[in-house]
Amino acid sequence: MDKNWTTIETLRQTRHDWLNKIQIIKGNLELNRIDRVKGIIDEIIIETQNEARLSSLNLPKFTEMLLTSNWNNGSFYCEYEIIDVFEGSAEMDELMYRWTNDYFKILDKNLDPFFENILAVSMCKKEVSDMRCSFQMQGRFMDLSAVMEFLESSLTAEQSIEIRECNENEIFFKMDIKF
């Protein structure tokens, strides 16, 4: 999560991701699964639109972390949705980058790496300078108490969370950030 990607490494990983998508489309075309091909293309369009929205938030460190999060071979897959485009700030970027990076690390240590673990992150504007993020982690926790302890002790004065669901297979919470 802390890797500094060179331009060459970034282009290599992006090319690899696109080749995988094209191979999936090609395989489904060969099997004459036209509806599945259309679905894959729709998924790519939605993913690309979210990447564009994320890139326009003026949160460069946080954006880079989310865009490259699945390249780090962690114990979970991260997907994200940007519901509202808003103007971020350097302070918000630093806070979200540091906190989310720490959250990713605690998840990586406490999830079963042999299970399909998926983290869904959504972001929207709450007030003029406020933001709301939802984090929904579905998977298999090896130590749920360590994750909960992190959530209880890691917040700054600008952050608050509301836990909506917490069990051995899921943690879902909303975080409000005020600036």
Side-chain angles (χ1 to χ4, degrees), residues 77-137:
Y77 178 81
C78 181
E79 53 190 38
Y80 51 87
E81 177 182 20
I82 310 306
I83 298 168
D84 299 319
V85 176
F86 55 89
E87 183 67 24
S89 66
E91 296 82 14
M92 185 183 290
D93 185 37
E94 187 61 34
L95 172 79
M96 287 305 298
Y97 170 77
R98 272 188 284 114
W99 188 89
T100 307
N101 192 44
D102 290 346
Y103 183 55
F104 282 9
K105 287 177 183 176
I106 199 82
L107 287 176
D108 206 37
K109 289 179 188 173
N110 292 288
L111 287 166
D112 182 345
F114 302 107
F115 194 79
E116 184 179 9
N117 303 300
I118 299 173
L119 174 64
V121 180
S122 68
M123 299 172 57
C124 64
K125 183 177 180 178
K126 190 168 183 232
E127 298 292 331
V128 174
S129 63
D130 298 349
M131 169 175 80
R132 171 171 281 169
C133 291
S134 297
F135 293 85
Q136 183 171 16
M137 180 71 242

